Amino acid sequence: MKTLLILLILLCAITMPALAELTDADLNKIRLIVKEEIKEEIKPIKADISTLKEDVARLDGRMTGVEKQVSHATNVTYGLIALIVVAIGIPAWRGKKDRDQERKIEELRQEIEALKQQRIVSP
């Protein structure tokens, strides 16, 4: 066992470390390969981005149309509310005026009746 251990240590010491360095040409090749890979991966992403831009532009146009419709509906609603107020308010106001006149007429009628009875009682 001892000899085996010494033999392994000796073999490890004898083996020379492998020296490998990248040259500038190797690095340039690696750069070119990476650039080509990136370009190939970016092409579908660019196509998706342009499609998304078109979709967003379409949605923006739709949103503008919806905003206009909502604004129009709101204005129509305000107009209808104003018409309802006028349709209910004017007759109610006139009715109140008529009731006030009828009450005055009734008071005057009662006063006339009271005066008639006084005149009949004391001629």
Side-chain angles (χ1 to χ4, degrees):
M1 181 79 156
K2 200 176 192 183
T3 56
L4 185 62
L5 185 61
I6 292 174
L7 185 61
L8 284 174
I9 293 173
L10 185 61
L11 285 175
C12 288
I14 292 175
T15 56
M16 297 298 256
L19 298 176
E21 292 184 14
L22 292 175
T23 62
D24 287 337
D26 293 335
L27 291 175
N28 286 336
K29 286 180 184 178
I30 292 171
R31 285 186 190 111
L32 287 174
I33 292 171
V34 169
K35 283 182 183 179
E36 288 175 9
E37 290 292 324
I38 289 174
K39 284 181 184 178
E40 291 301 317
E41 289 180 7
I42 287 179
K43 284 181 183 178
I45 294 171
K46 285 183 178 179
D48 289 343
I49 289 173
S50 66
T51 303
L52 286 174
K53 284 182 181 178
E54 292 171 2
D55 291 344
V56 167
R58 252 184 277 134
L59 286 175
D60 188 42
R62 287 182 184 174
M63 288 298 291
T64 303
V66 169
E67 286 176 2
K68 287 180 182 179
Q69 287 178 349
V70 167
S71 175
H72 179 70
T74 303
N75 290 338
V76 168
T77 303
Y78 289 152
L80 289 175
I81 289 172
L83 286 175
I84 290 170
V85 167
V86 167
I88 293 174
I90 290 177
W93 179 70
R94 283 189 178 169
K96 181 181 177 191
K97 189 176 176 184
D98 290 343
R99 280 180 288 187
D100 288 342
Q101 286 179 352
E102 286 178 13
R103 186 175 41 85
K104 288 179 184 176
I105 291 171
E106 187 60 36
E107 287 175 3
L108 290 173
R109 198 176 277 147
Q110 289 174 359
E111 197 174 315
I112 291 172
E113 287 294 325
L115 288 174
K116 280 183 182 179
Q117 285 188 1
Q118 281 180 355
R119 189 169 179 211
I120 293 175
V121 172
S122 58

